[in-house]
Amino acid sequence: MTHDHDIDLRPTKAQTVAALNPPAGRNGGDLVVETLEGLGATTVFGLPGQHALGMFDALRRSKLDYVGLRVENNAGFAADAYGRVTGQAAPLLLSTGPGALMSLAALQESAAASAPVLAIGSQVPTAGLGGGRHGYLHELRDQQASFRDIVKSVHTVRTASQIPSAIAAAWESALTAPHGPVWVEIPQDVLLAETMLPVVTALDATPDDVLPRPELTAVAADLLSRAVRPVIIAGGGVVRSDASGKLLALAEKLDAPVVTTFGGKGAFPWEHPLSLQSWLEDRHTTDFLEAADVLLVVGSGLGELSSNYHTFAPRGRVVQIEADLGKLESNHAGLGIHADARLALSALLETVTERDDPSAADAVRDVLSRVRERIASQELTLEQRVLASVREALPDTSPSFWDMTILAYWAWSAFDARHPNTMHSAQGAGGLGYGFPAALGAAAADPTRPVLAVSGDGGAMYSIAELATARQYDFPVTWLIVDDGGYGILREYMTDAFGEATATELSRPDFVALAESFGVPATRTSVESLTEDLEKAFAEPGPSVVVLPAVLRMFAPTHA
């Protein structure tokens, strides 16, 4: 154990000299960016506003790379994707009132998907805080209240000396499993006021590990070792904790079939003999899961989509490993283990007894055969061909970001992500407009590989402004827009429920001409040429748009 007297807190001579002679011309905004640099941040996202100018002015005196988007919600989506693909907290700099509030839908997605986003917003001057109606521009009676129901934690600053500690605490919160968005707010006058505080140096904000309790993993290991029909559901927590290798080793040791949730895409090899893939919206898969005598759920709360719309009713023992304490047994009773997925899987690997069950792979083949037969009976060759074309064109290691559109709904179940942490969608909160700005955030994290964004024409209209961002930073993002003339999935839902659709048909622009007006190359493709056109787009540097006019249909649900 480390004790206080073991730590040498004495500054070096160089540190003392630097602290006593801080550079002139610094303000509270400099403390913000210095703290971010000290925590290890390299890239920040955002959009400036009047009360936040102190932070943005300080950026030019920092080494941080700034990616500015055109709408705060889109900046939040970009930060979300950056946090997902890097596993690091993504700083998001926002202004007060309307600017801050515009980010809420993006932060809700980050919360639902456990993406670490460090949102730092400005506030009205200190004199205007406390709920009084002073008439400041952008004034809200309680700005924090708008965020408190969404983010993991809220951190307030009222003086310059509080800035480094508040941001460090928020950083640690964002990166403590389960990851998530956090909110820091700093008044305008604090950001603008000159400071003689020393330059902020390296800070320690290392999150604590969420360790499994050994008595729980012992019981879980015993249940799995003695199981006759063990099955594993792998969720997004497996991907976030980089536990795919541990999952594979455990599944093979137990001869246990594995199905991945939509958030867990890529957590388990798609073509592995034990892979049930991701067909969770299928009754054949649901029946198979219900028949397991021990069901190991790792990194999933078994929410609506992961439970075939809450029709799933397990008959065997459930063991649930989940870093989000509130999700333990929230939908199904069982042995709840509050832990990071990687640490819990490591503990199980060390204690389970190896099983040999040749029938497991046969059972998996049978389930997948039944699923294929069900889909084949619905005459959905167009949809399957489009998805196969995207898969063929997309490089294996390239990330993809999917908006809430019919092709994405297909991809949740039927797309082979091939590598962990490469397929992401907005299925956590379900908001429109995620795909393209999120892809820009991923490209900012790694501009050396092409990135795919997929949207429908309705969702694309949420993000058109970010074509300017893509061009400004020359990000290698190819945006596939499936143009079906409206909100396609809502059209289907309403027609099925009410006999006809209302408010789903949309007038839209010529997306090719519109993209070209931003200086972004664009092409109108067809089902026959989709693979070739996507491959050409991926091969070229910088952004591109591929428009596919097509009306796709969903496969029939099995939960009704």
Side-chain angles (χ1 to χ4, degrees):
M1 178 179 288
T2 299
H3 299 280
D4 290 345
H5 61 263
D6 296 324
I7 303 172
D8 187 356
L9 298 177
R10 293 172 296 179
T12 65
K13 183 176 181 180
Q15 288 172 327
T16 301
V17 171
L20 294 174
N21 299 278
R26 293 163 61 247
N27 59 23
D30 287 277
L31 295 174
V32 172
V33 298
E34 289 166 7
T35 301
L36 292 174
E37 287 181 318
L39 289 167
T42 58
T43 303
V44 301
F45 300 86
L47 200 156
Q50 178 177 327
H51 292 141
L53 294 181
M55 283 192 294
F56 284 84
D57 175 64
L59 284 174
R60 65 185 173 88
R61 294 185 288 277
S62 79
K63 297 178 182 178
L64 294 171
D65 292 325
Y66 170 66
V67 179
L69 286 93
R70 301 307 196 265
V71 183
E72 288 86 355
N73 195 46
N74 293 335
F77 284 144
D80 171 288
Y82 186 96
R84 293 193 199 195
V85 301
T86 65
Q88 297 300 309
L92 172 64
L93 307 185
L94 302 167
S95 192
T96 322
L101 297 179
M102 280 289 290
S103 73
L104 287 173
L107 294 177
Q108 184 190 6
E109 176 57 39
S110 299
S114 297
V117 175
L118 172 57
I120 304 176
S122 60
Q123 252 291 18
V124 298
T126 308
L129 300 178
R133 306 303 295 273
H134 301 282
Y136 286 105
L137 184 69
H138 305 329
E139 182 180 274
L140 294 168
R141 285 173 294 186
D142 188 358
Q143 182 171 275
Q144 298 172 39
S146 297
F147 292 83
R148 204 170 272 117
D149 185 48
I150 295 174
V151 299
K152 284 186 68 178
S153 57
V154 170
H155 307 260
T156 59
V157 168
R158 294 295 177 263
T159 67
S161 60
Q162 297 174 5
I163 290 174
S165 294
I167 293 177
W171 180 279
E172 182 176 341
S173 175
L175 290 175
T176 297
H179 293 173
V182 294
W183 175 253
V184 181
E185 61 179 39
I186 309 171
Q188 178 190 30
D189 52 332
V190 176
L191 290 170
L192 292 174
E194 185 175 358
T195 181
M196 291 305 293
L197 289 171
V199 173
V200 182
T201 55
L203 295 164
D204 182 10
T206 305
D208 291 332
D209 290 329
V210 184
L211 298 167
R213 284 166 38 205
E215 74 274 18
L216 296 178
T217 53
V219 174
D222 180 65
L223 289 170
L224 290 166
S225 299
R226 293 188 294 107
V228 176
R229 296 181 306 279
V231 182
I232 300 172
I233 299 178
V238 176
V239 174
R240 288 186 292 275
S241 64
D242 193 22
S244 299
K246 302 289 186 185
L247 173 66
L248 175 61
L250 182 66
E252 291 181 338
K253 191 171 183 179
L254 293 170
D255 253 343
V258 178
V259 63
T260 61
T261 70
F262 305 151
K265 298 285 289 186
F268 196 74
W270 189 257
E271 298 294 346
H272 192 282
L274 293 171
S275 175
L276 287 162
Q277 301 179 355
S278 301
W279 289 97
L280 285 168
E281 289 190 50
D282 186 281
R283 194 64 221 177
H284 299 303
T285 302
T286 305
D287 290 343
F288 186 80
L289 296 174
E290 289 181 345
D293 60 339
V294 178
L295 184 68
L296 175 62
V297 184
V298 189
S300 172
L302 290 183
E304 184 176 37
L305 297 180
S306 301
S307 62
N308 205 353
Y309 297 89
H310 294 302
T311 62
F312 169 57
R315 297 192 296 271
R317 292 291 300 273
V318 175
V319 177
Q320 184 186 12
I321 296 168
E322 175 57 55
D324 189 337
L325 184 61
K327 291 181 179 179
L328 280 183
E329 297 189 74
S330 61
N331 285 306
H332 300 282
L335 177 68
I337 303 176
H338 181 218
D340 175 82
R342 181 181 178 85
L343 298 174
L345 288 173
S346 296
L348 289 178
L349 260 176
E350 294 174 359
T351 48
V352 297
T353 302
E354 189 166 356
R355 295 177 67 259
D356 183 19
D357 182 5
S359 68
D362 293 336
V364 167
R365 281 193 296 271
D366 179 64
V367 172
L368 293 180
S369 175
R370 291 170 181 267
V371 171
R372 283 191 290 269
E373 289 174 6
R374 186 178 76 84
I375 299 299
S377 70
Q378 298 175 42
E379 300 181 357
L380 297 165
T381 54
L382 169 64
E383 291 75 9
Q384 294 178 82
R385 183 175 180 181
V386 170
L387 195 63
S389 296
V390 174
R391 178 62 279 174
E392 183 180 351
L394 183 67
D396 285 359
T397 60
S398 284
S400 59
F401 293 85
W402 304 70
D403 214 331
M404 301 297 287
T405 186
I406 286 178
L407 189 59
Y409 286 30
W410 269 92
W412 293 350
S413 293
F415 192 77
D416 176 6
R418 293 190 181 166
H419 287 273
N421 205 22
T422 55
M423 180 181 169
H424 302 276
S425 73
Q427 55 96 11
L432 278 172
Y434 176 79
F436 188 52
L440 299 179
D446 182 1
T448 66
R449 58 182 178 177
V451 183
L452 171 67
V454 179
S455 299
D457 57 289
M461 292 302 293
Y462 280 64
S463 312
I464 288 297
E466 305 312 336
L467 284 167
T469 303
R471 182 75 281 167
Q472 179 173 342
Y473 295 98
D474 209 30
F475 285 141
V477 174
T478 294
W479 192 6
L480 172 61
I481 301 174
V482 181
D483 185 357
D484 68 358
Y487 299 123
I489 192 66
L490 298 180
R491 179 192 292 140
E492 279 205 17
Y493 288 164
M494 293 191 77
T495 301
D496 290 345
F498 309 114
E500 61 181 295
T502 304
T504 60
E505 307 313 299
L506 301 173
S507 174
R508 67 270 190 212
D510 179 338
F511 287 107
V512 171
L514 183 59
E516 290 175 341
S517 74
F518 284 90
V520 175
T523 185
R524 184 171 288 101
T525 189
S526 65
V527 174
E528 293 74 22
S529 61
L530 179 58
T531 299
E532 180 182 357
D533 288 335
L534 284 175
E535 287 176 340
K536 287 180 180 178
F538 291 137
E540 294 296 322
S544 58
V545 170
V546 176
V547 180
L548 173 65
V551 178
L552 306 181
R553 296 186 297 128
M554 273 303 296
F555 50 81
T558 65
H559 63 272

